[in-house]
């Protein structure tokens, strides 16, 4: 018993859920924008002592 399958039919069944998802959501999928990076702690120069 031999099943005669072309490569197109399994490919369609694999890609069909992806195509339906993209039809409703759009391309590219709407991902949330990345969070802004927090600023690093400010580096201050060591205080110089004044001579009197």
């Amino acid at each position: 018993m031999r099943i005669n399958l072309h490569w197109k039919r399994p490919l369609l069944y694999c890609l069909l859920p992806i195509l339906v998802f993209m039809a409703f959501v759009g391309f590219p999928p709407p991902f949330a924008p990345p969070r802004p990076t927090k600023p690093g702690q400010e580096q201050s120069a060591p205080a110089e002592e004044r001579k009197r």
Side-chain angles (χ1 to χ4, degrees), residues 2-23:
R2 179 172 156 84
I3 300 174
N4 189 10
L5 284 178
H6 293 287
W7 62 272
K8 293 180 182 179
R9 182 166 291 182
L11 183 66
L12 174 69
Y13 289 142
C14 291
L15 294 179
L16 190 63
I18 298 171
L19 294 174
V20 171
F21 175 79
M22 285 174 37

Side-chain angles (χ1 to χ4, degrees), residues 11 17 27 39-40 42 46:
L11 183 66
F27 183 82
E42 293 184 10

